[in-house]
Amino acid sequence: MNLNKARDYFSGYYEQTLEPGLRQAFERGLQEDAQIQAEYAAFVKTVESIQTLSHQEIEIPFDLHDRISARLDRHVWETEQNRKPNWFSQWWRSIALGGVAVAAIGGVLFSIANPSKGGSTSQAGAFPSVENKKPLLTFESGQLYVNAPAQPGATLKVLRGTAGEPVVSIDLSKNRVRSPLRNEQNEPTLLSVLVGDEAPILVIVPGQTPSTKKAGSGTLLEMAKALSDAYRVPVQLTAKNLESTVTWEFRGETLSDAIMSDLTPKSLSITKQNNMLGVIASAP
């Protein structure tokens, strides 16, 4: 594949929309042609810069939750003092305060929480903004976040592995969630994140201890954990058989380098999206 032809596939490869045959041809071009590698790396850097600008958020005052709560409490008190009950203020107060999920999971393995009154707002921020179109998982400033809008009858669950006990279970009927998801173990760990009846998203969360090992062999799951460890980012898995045999040699230090790693079988590929890495297993 020459450079001019490869340019036509930059966008499709980055967005993971290329059909398997074209994707494999493009990846061979990336591995064999240094000029294609350089131009694709520049393309990725430009797209990431644009995405970073589009996701910037206005900083919310850390005490906004307390200030709104205090004003609403005072308004209710004044209404009661005047013996003129105001059902609207009571209803609005319940919406304003109930619209933010407050959840905390104990233990040392994982924690997912939004700040409650008096708590720290350094992780998730008060009154977090979660839009329906925001990805369920985002990785921002070195922190993995779970994002879910309020959905009648839906529940957000985070499981250990693919069928373990829920680490987190939050009713989304009245609550929206934007919370950090942390792995406090030394080793990377597999989680399943799902909302309602939707298919679970499999994600490897890196552990606390980095690894410098860039080559090895083992199962697909072990390779994904090694990838997460090596580049210090979450890794999403799109594969049916996590126990299939894989050999790998990771490239470079950046996420753009990672997508050009050597994997066997060739039906495997590493992708980059939302500041994370992904592992896709397609039919040969």
Side-chain angles (χ1 to χ4, degrees), residues 93-102 114 127-128 150 174-177:
R93 187 174 189 274
S94 68
I95 294 297
L97 299 182
V100 178
V102 179
N114 278 335
F127 285 89
K174 296 182 180 179
N175 298 320
R176 62 177 183 244
V177 173

Side-chain angles (χ1 to χ4, degrees), residues 242-264:
L242 301 184
E243 299 302 317
S244 58
T245 302
V246 180
T247 59
W248 64 87
E249 182 177 354
F250 303 141
R251 301 293 186 187
E253 303 297 329
T254 70
L255 302 191
S256 297
D257 295 331
I259 65 175
M260 291 182 282
S261 298
D262 293 331
L263 303 179
T264 303

Side-chain angles (χ1 to χ4, degrees), residues 141-152:
S141 302
Q143 176 64 64
L144 178 64
Y145 286 93
V146 178
N147 311 280
Q151 301 180 44

Side-chain angles (χ1 to χ4, degrees), residues 97-113:
L97 299 182
V100 178
V102 179
I105 303 300
V108 297
L109 183 59
F110 299 102
S111 60
I112 176 171

Side-chain angles (χ1 to χ4, degrees), residues 16-226:
Q16 304 176 30
T17 58
L18 289 180
E19 61 186 41
L22 288 176
R23 186 184 69 250
Q24 292 175 5
F26 180 84
E27 288 172 347
R28 284 196 297 270
L30 276 178
Q31 295 173 357
E32 298 170 358
D33 192 322
Q35 191 171 2
I36 293 178
Q37 293 178 16
E39 290 206 12
Y40 181 70
F43 169 84
V44 170
K45 185 175 181 180
T46 301
V47 172
E48 290 175 352
S49 299
I50 295 173
Q51 290 177 341
T52 299
L53 291 174
S54 67
H55 285 88
Q56 288 182 351
E57 298 180 356
I58 298 174
E59 182 177 356
I60 299 173
F62 74 93
D63 60 347
L64 178 61
H65 183 280
D66 290 340
R67 285 156 56 184
I68 293 176
S69 178
R71 291 192 181 188
L72 290 173
D73 285 338
R74 181 173 180 80
H75 178 72
V76 172
W77 179 83
E78 289 176 346
T79 300
E80 291 176 350
Q81 288 296 103
N82 294 329
R83 296 184 179 180
K84 295 179 180 180
N86 188 335
W87 69 269
F88 179 79
S89 67
Q90 295 280 7
W91 172 81
W92 169 247
R93 187 174 189 274
S94 68
I95 294 297
L97 299 182
V100 178
V102 179
I105 303 300
V108 297
L109 183 59
F110 299 102
S111 60
I112 176 171
N114 278 335
S116 58
K117 186 175 180 180
S120 169
T121 59
S122 61
Q123 293 282 355
F127 285 89
S129 173
V130 179
E131 300 178 358
N132 289 326
K133 294 183 179 180
K134 194 175 186 64
L136 182 59
L137 296 176
T138 54
F139 189 61
E140 305 165 32
S141 302
Q143 176 64 64
L144 178 64
Y145 286 93
V146 178
N147 311 280
Q151 301 180 44
T155 301
L156 169 68
K157 291 183 180 180
V158 180
L159 312 178
R160 292 187 182 94
T162 57
E165 291 297 319
V167 177
V168 175
S169 181
I170 299 177
D171 184 1
L172 297 176
S173 296
K174 296 182 180 179
N175 298 320
R176 62 177 183 244
V177 173
R178 170 176 163 78
S179 295
L181 183 60
R182 297 184 291 270
N183 177 8
E184 297 178 4
Q185 290 187 326
N186 289 331
E187 302 296 326
T189 304
L190 173 65
L191 296 178
S192 300
V193 183
L194 60 157
V195 174
D197 296 328
E198 296 179 6
I201 292 178
L202 304 183
V203 59
I204 304 292
V205 185
Q208 299 298 312
T209 304
S211 171
T212 57
K213 186 177 181 180
K214 294 291 187 72
S217 62
T219 66
L220 176 57
L221 178 58
E222 289 170 339
M223 185 276 287
K225 288 183 176 181

